[in-house]
Amino acid sequence: MSSRKRGMTPPRDAVRRKRSLEEADAIEVVCRLCPYNGNTPSLIAIDETTVQTVLPPAIYRRDGAPNVEKIFSFGRVFSENDGQPTVFERTSIDLILNLLRGQNSLLFTYGVTGSGKTYTMTGKPTENDTGLLPRTLDVIFNSIANQLEKCVFYPVALNSFEIRSTLDAHLKRRQLENDKFHMSREMISDRFHEGIKIGGFNEDYVCAVFVSYVEIYNNYCYDLLEEAKNGSLTKRELRHDRNQQVYVDGAKDIEVSSSEEALEVFCLGEERRRVSSTLLNKDSSRSHSVFTIKLVMAPRSYESQTVAPVKDSAQIVVSQLCLVDLAGSERAKRTQNVGDRLAEANSINQSLMVLRQCIDVLRRNQKTVQTFPEQVPYRQSKLTHLFKNYLEGNGKIRMVICVNPKPDDYDENLSALAFAEESQKVEVKIQAERVQTDRIPHAFYTQWNSELEKVSMDNLCRSETPCAPPLYLRDYNDTNGVEAIRRYVTQLSNMTDGENSTSKLLSTLRQYMMEADHLRIEVGKFKDTLDAKDQEITKLRGFCSKYKREKESLKERILMYEKNDEENQMAMEKLREQKLEDQKVIKSQKKAMKMVQGIVENPSPSVATLRSKFQDQENYPSAPLQTPPPPYQTPGRQAFRSAKRNETTSSSGISSTPGNQGYLNPKYQRRSKSASRLLDHQPTHRVPMGTVFQTKTPTNAIKTTRPELKQLNKSGEYRLTHQEVDEDGNISTNVVKGDVIPTAGGGTSVLFNDIEKLSHESPAQK
Ligand SMILES: Nc1ncnc2c1ncn2[C@@H]1O[C@H](COP(=O)(O)OP(=O)(O)OP(=O)(O)O)[C@@H](O)[C@H]1O
């Protein structure tokens, strides 16, 4: 026997092992605003995922409540204009798909009393008002295939299902006909039928649908489908099945073959559900109602030509969709309930509070990984105990938080919305798919079955199996029926052993042949796939070697670029240094230029001052303007020219000082004297002396009273004439000479190399 005997949810260990591989899915919350006709709504839907509170007048607010408008975000927000179809499509279709695929889901409505929970879940029979539950039933029955006749699957103890033999199922069906529920068909006679059909059901499975309906009232569970004895329902216990899943012990699972029939069962339960009129809602739910739709599936038998399951209960898969309409929270002060209503309200509030506590603890446990996680208080309320399976990873959970924007509900809505928003942070493990997807398609077997049947019938098995009589009894006194069955069984047992073993052998042979044929086709398919993959691999190899080559050439280029980059960096560095040098030179040139300008603009500086200025210049080692040579002192009225220029030059210490010419352009070749142009710098106010000694000035000389850099650039020589008068009234004229030389940085400097001095002595002084 398989370890998973009853075909319910997989064993706990298996679930645990799988969980580590499965992904988690957060509890999803959608919010629905019910219509409000007043002028002061306390809630508005901003967009499809956000709802905002609006501060109502102070009388509606509790003391100490936050005085700010708050925004809450949910998976989806339905405004008052969104009708039941929109809500259904967004909240239920994917859960139905889960059900068809063998997974569980829980969908529950939550909110303050009178906020539209029951309307959302059940609604009314018209097209626009039909709620989630009837629509869900319609879509399930639209979408399943291979639905079995009733009574093939049957519920047994410990929340499990078994498979009946064909005969037993037939007899059970006959028995059921007498046992049928007597229910009013008022609500479902002309109701709206949801036409949506979805894919997802595995057609190699057969199925049956069961529903159960329980309520949790004053923290006790009741089966709403139970035949009430003396007008009261039995309190039911919550128990754990073999897989540690919680279920309501003794609650009936009723098999239904259509959505109409399922709704009849639902309506029967609704009649028994506790609903009372309160100040805030004339049809207020006083209990939490739990309507469960179970889809029981088993692989389709290959043996039978009709729709039948395999004869192995261990292969049964049961998935369930639990639709819960919670009772609304309510403040006693507002409802002014007393007696039973007050006790109900306390119990409702208590169970909702435990639900919040469980969510809080789950959230805390998930926030940080703890060695000893906090215990979740599921058992403190029947509601949370029943929800435990889902909260611990037995399926998808979705909450529909219903809110009424009327200002009276402001405070309670705030707290309900905060709880709902927080719930979204709780993660629940996604359940693994349990329906096999790799079975040999039944259609394939059917084809081979019929062909081999023909062969075996024609050639091998000529013995005739007796035809089965109608296998049912009209009543316990139906002696004819009993006799017919007895005859049939005797005929069967009278068949020779040889015939029996031949037919067994044939059946086995047929099975093997079909499998072999199927495998041949499968091998053919695999070969094709392999060929395709081989081609793909060859193609990919081609790409691979092409990319390898490209990679190599790219590598080489990168190396080259890196080298170039390095060289460029170095060149940049050199240029930067050069630039700094040039800037220094320009700075000192400007300074020297300023000094020259100062000399020029000052009409009578003494030679000593001039010298001291030029001597100062020595403090700027890179400055091209150097101290002029010391005046060549000669007594008398003679003009002396320094005969040896190089002598004077050396005495001036200009060019001989190593390093002083560092900035002069080393490549500069002095043009011949005749070719160079003279920049003749004359003072503005010159004292005419009428001397016979005249300096020789070439005709192309540039004459200036204030030299400019432009002029300097055009000249090869520079000559400055300067006059001074001593205390005795003697006039001396100094002619300072220099070469204009370009600097290495692209500037121009003057290298002074000679001074001529002409003195006039006044005869009167003599
Ligand atoms: N979206 C809606 N459109 C139209 N009517 C609505 C809507 N939501 C609620 N209603 C109406 O508001 C009233 C109260 O709604 P309902 O009974 O569903 O509230 P509830 O939340 O289930 O209350 P309780 O918790 O007391 O059972 C009902 O008459 C219902 O028809």
Side-chain angles (χ1 to χ4, degrees):
M1 266 274 209
S2 152
S3 61
R4 238 194 87 221
K5 280 183 181 163
R6 305 287 169 184
M8 285 296 295
T9 42
R12 212 182 185 190
D13 283 353
V15 173
R16 274 208 204 114
R17 239 177 294 121
K18 272 199 160 161
R19 270 183 196 170
S20 57
L21 305 170
E22 290 161 7
E23 281 177 42
D25 192 7
I27 292 179
E28 199 195 0
V29 183
V30 298
C31 174
R32 185 176 196 188
L33 270 66
C34 83
Y36 166 68
N37 296 326
N39 298 325
T40 51
S42 63
L43 277 172
I44 43 168
I46 298 179
D47 56 36
E48 288 206 340
T49 54
T50 342
V51 67
Q52 188 186 350
T53 61
V54 180
L55 281 178
I59 51 155
Y60 297 113
R61 277 181 271 151
R62 215 187 302 178
D63 293 342
N67 222 5
V68 285
E69 293 177 337
K70 292 196 83 180
I71 284 180
F72 297 94
S73 297
F74 298 104
R76 174 72 202 261
V77 171
F78 299 106
S79 74
E80 42 268 64
N81 300 324
D82 288 316
Q84 300 278 59
T86 315
V87 178
F88 171 70
E89 280 172 35
R90 173 61 180 79
T91 58
S92 308
I93 295 285
D94 58 332
L95 303 188
I96 297 171
L97 189 65
N98 274 358
L99 183 82
L100 301 182
R101 287 179 173 166
Q103 290 166 310
N104 302 332
S105 310
L106 165 70
L107 175 66
F108 68 99
T109 51
Y110 179 92
V112 179
T113 184
S115 57
K117 297 183 293 298
T118 309
Y119 175 83
T120 300
M121 194 53 87
T122 316
K124 293 166 191 166
T126 59
E127 179 170 354
N128 287 333
D129 292 314
T130 299
L132 302 182
L133 189 143
R135 285 178 198 266
T136 300
L137 285 168
D138 286 338
V139 175
I140 290 172
F141 281 97
N142 292 345
S143 310
I144 55 175
N146 303 334
Q147 199 181 343
L148 291 172
E149 276 193 280
K150 271 191 188 170
C151 303
V152 177
F153 290 124
Y154 67 104
V156 290
L158 288 175
N159 200 26
S160 299
F161 283 83
E162 292 278 5
I163 301 171
R164 280 198 182 95
S165 69
T166 318
L167 179 62
D168 283 351
H170 179 80
L171 293 173
K172 189 70 191 168
R173 276 194 293 276
R174 294 298 305 271
Q175 186 191 336
L176 261 188
E177 273 171 25
N178 302 326
D179 219 22
K180 196 140 177 139
F181 278 92
H182 301 289
M183 285 168 280
S184 116
R185 289 179 176 255
E186 238 173 77
M187 176 184 162
I188 46 179
S189 56
D190 61 343
R191 72 174 187 97
F192 165 74
H193 189 283
E194 177 62 69
I196 296 175
K197 177 180 176 173
I198 57 171
F201 183 83
N202 186 333
E203 298 210 359
D204 287 310
Y205 273 71
V206 292
C207 69
V209 179
F210 289 77
V211 291
S212 67
Y213 198 15
V214 297
E215 75 169 351
I216 301 167
Y217 175 70
N218 281 348
N219 209 26
Y220 286 109
C221 288
Y222 297 92
D223 179 7
L224 292 173
L225 305 180
E226 175 194 3
E227 293 293 336
K229 286 173 199 143
N230 308 325
S232 63
L233 299 173
T234 319
K235 287 174 186 163
R236 304 281 173 179
E237 290 302 322
L238 294 182
R239 298 204 193 285
H240 288 88
D241 65 16
R242 288 193 185 87
N243 302 316
Q244 296 306 310
Q245 301 299 309
V246 181
Y247 71 101
V248 183
D249 188 29
K252 276 185 183 168
D253 282 309
I254 295 188
E255 188 171 10
V256 286
S257 52
S258 66
S259 51
E260 264 64 37
E261 204 181 329
L263 279 173
E264 282 176 13
V265 175
F266 173 73
C267 291
L268 176 80
E270 277 294 280
E271 281 167 22
R272 294 170 185 169
R273 192 183 170 195
R274 277 158 259 232
V275 175
S276 303
S277 173
T278 67
L279 203 63
L280 300 181
N281 187 359
K282 76 176 173 50
D283 295 318
S284 179
S285 312
R286 311 312 292 158
S287 64
H288 307 304
S289 73
V290 182
F291 185 78
T292 307
I293 306 165
K294 287 183 181 166
L295 183 63
V296 183
M297 293 178 277
R300 186 172 174 180
S301 165
Y302 295 127
E303 293 296 318
S304 169
Q305 295 292 334
T306 57
V307 176
V310 291
K311 291 185 180 77
D312 177 12
S313 300
Q315 293 197 49
I316 294 177
V317 175
V318 181
S319 54
Q320 59 184 46
L321 173 54
C322 208
L323 303 172
V324 180
D325 178 15
L326 293 184
S329 58
E330 52 190 45
R331 293 229 312 274
K333 203 172 158 190
R334 284 182 57 210
T335 53
Q336 295 172 19
N337 282 337
V338 286
D340 281 355
R341 296 294 85 78
L342 185 60
E344 286 161 0
N346 285 343
S347 169
I348 294 166
N349 290 343
Q350 170 66 18
S351 58
L352 295 176
M353 198 187 73
V354 178
L355 177 62
R356 286 181 178 213
Q357 285 169 352
C358 290
I359 297 279
D360 282 350
V361 174
L362 282 169
R363 172 99 186 91
R364 281 202 295 275
N365 286 347
Q366 286 177 4
K367 230 178 192 172
T368 48
V369 182
Q370 299 159 15
T371 329
F372 300 106
E374 221 177 307
Q375 195 171 2
V376 187
Y378 295 120
R379 283 174 182 265
Q380 283 185 19
S381 128
K382 289 281 188 297
L383 176 71
T384 47
H385 197 180
L386 201 59
F387 276 13
K388 180 174 174 255
N389 296 345
Y390 293 95
L391 291 168
E392 296 217 319
N394 191 28
K396 168 106 188 143
I397 304 180
R398 182 168 291 145
M399 180 197 301
V400 183
I401 164 110
C402 297
V403 277
N404 190 332
K406 63 180 180 190
D408 314 59
D409 284 0
Y410 176 73
D411 283 333
E412 284 165 278
N413 278 342
L414 258 189
S415 110
L417 286 167
F419 160 69
E421 195 177 50
E422 191 65 16
S423 304
Q424 298 177 114
K425 293 175 187 158
V426 174
E427 300 235 303
V428 179
K429 296 273 176 0
I430 295 173
Q431 213 186 5
E433 287 210 9
R434 292 179 296 153
V435 174
Q436 294 173 30
T437 48
D438 54 353
R439 293 193 81 227
I440 301 170
H442 193 274
F444 183 87
Y445 265 78
T446 314
Q447 178 202 333
W448 287 107
N449 237 349
S450 59
E451 285 195 24
L452 286 166
E453 189 80 31
K454 238 192 293 169
V455 175
S456 66
M457 291 298 283
D458 294 349
N459 304 326
L460 298 166
C461 184
R462 296 193 179 278
S463 70
E464 288 207 352
T465 312
C467 280
L471 293 176
Y472 58 83
L473 301 176
R474 281 190 191 83
D475 56 48
Y476 63 91
N477 245 348
D478 185 1
T479 43
N480 290 341
V482 172
E483 193 46 42
I485 292 170
R486 183 180 292 141
R487 263 202 310 277
Y488 177 62
V489 174
T490 318
Q491 270 177 314
L492 278 181
S493 62
N494 282 344
M495 284 175 72
T496 60
D497 282 354
E499 280 173 340
N500 273 338
S501 58
T502 311
S503 72
K504 255 190 201 165
L505 189 69
L506 266 176
S507 161
T508 319
L509 189 65
R510 186 174 49 194
Q511 181 74 17
Y512 284 141
M513 284 173 76
M514 284 190 290
E515 273 177 21
D517 274 352
H518 174 73
L519 286 176
R520 210 171 294 142
I521 291 174
E522 287 292 297
V523 167
K525 274 190 210 161
F526 280 129
K527 264 191 182 158
D528 289 348
T529 321
L530 263 179
D531 285 348
K533 295 264 177 232
D534 271 349
Q535 279 178 11
E536 214 172 299
I537 287 171
T538 321
K539 213 163 127 189
L540 287 174
R541 278 210 182 112
F543 280 133
C544 209
S545 43
K546 185 181 144 203
Y547 290 135
K548 255 187 198 163
R549 283 197 300 275
E550 277 183 17
K551 192 179 135 194
E552 286 308 316
S553 88
L554 281 174
K555 250 188 194 171
E556 276 170 24
R557 280 167 72 181
I558 287 172
L559 279 177
M560 199 179 79
Y561 286 137
E562 275 175 358
K563 207 172 148 201
N564 283 356
D565 193 41
E566 223 169 82
E567 283 171 8
N568 286 344
Q569 294 267 14
M570 277 162 65
M572 288 265 285
E573 194 54 43
K574 264 187 195 165
L575 279 175
R576 215 172 288 133
E577 281 168 13
Q578 184 72 55
K579 192 178 161 194
L580 281 176
E581 286 276 298
D582 290 351
Q583 276 170 350
K584 271 188 203 165
V585 171
I586 289 168
K587 206 170 160 190
S588 58
Q589 267 185 349
K590 275 185 184 163
K591 199 155 188 167
M593 206 64 192
K594 251 188 197 165
M595 279 166 65
V596 173
Q597 269 174 1
I599 294 166
V600 171
E601 277 159 15
N602 181 3
S604 59
S606 68
V607 172
T609 317
L610 193 64
R611 187 195 300 150
S612 79
K613 278 195 179 178
F614 280 103
Q615 269 168 353
D616 278 352
Q617 192 63 19
E618 280 178 353
N619 297 329
Y620 303 96
S622 58
L625 293 173
Q626 299 297 327
T627 313
Y632 199 95
Q633 295 286 348
T634 317
R637 300 177 83 198
Q638 311 148 30
F640 293 95
R641 176 174 296 208
S642 163
K644 294 174 187 166
R645 178 165 290 179
N646 56 358
E647 216 174 78
T648 320
T649 306
S650 83
S651 72
S652 70
I654 299 167
S655 54
S656 61
T657 314
N660 270 4
Q661 279 184 328
Y663 54 82
L664 294 178
N665 190 347
K667 290 181 186 164
Y668 174 71
Q669 292 295 319
R670 178 78 192 268
R671 284 178 285 170
S672 69
K673 199 81 180 158
S674 58
S676 70
R677 215 165 167 198
L678 174 72
L679 178 63
D680 187 14
H681 185 176
Q682 296 286 347
T684 323
H685 310 288
R686 196 170 171 179
V687 182
M689 292 176 296
T691 176
V692 290
F693 297 111
Q694 293 294 329
T695 49
K696 191 181 163 198
T697 306
T699 47
N700 66 345
I702 305 165
K703 294 197 173 170
T704 180
T705 54
R706 190 172 174 163
E708 284 173 12
L709 195 58
K710 208 166 48 180
Q711 293 168 323
L712 266 175
N713 286 342
K714 284 182 186 165
S715 315
E717 287 174 73
Y718 172 76
R719 193 166 74 195
L720 167 69
T721 309
H722 169 61
Q723 288 183 312
E724 56 187 5
V725 183
D726 66 11
E727 291 158 355
D728 302 328
N730 297 327
I731 298 171
S732 62
T733 304
N734 295 313
V735 180
V736 185
K737 297 177 185 174
D739 288 338
V740 179
I741 299 174
T743 61
T748 309
S749 67
V750 177
L751 187 64
F752 291 104
N753 49 23
D754 195 7
I755 294 179
E756 282 179 25
K757 189 170 182 174
L758 180 65
S759 298
H760 284 258
E761 278 181 14
S762 163
Q765 292 291 327
K766 283 268 166 183

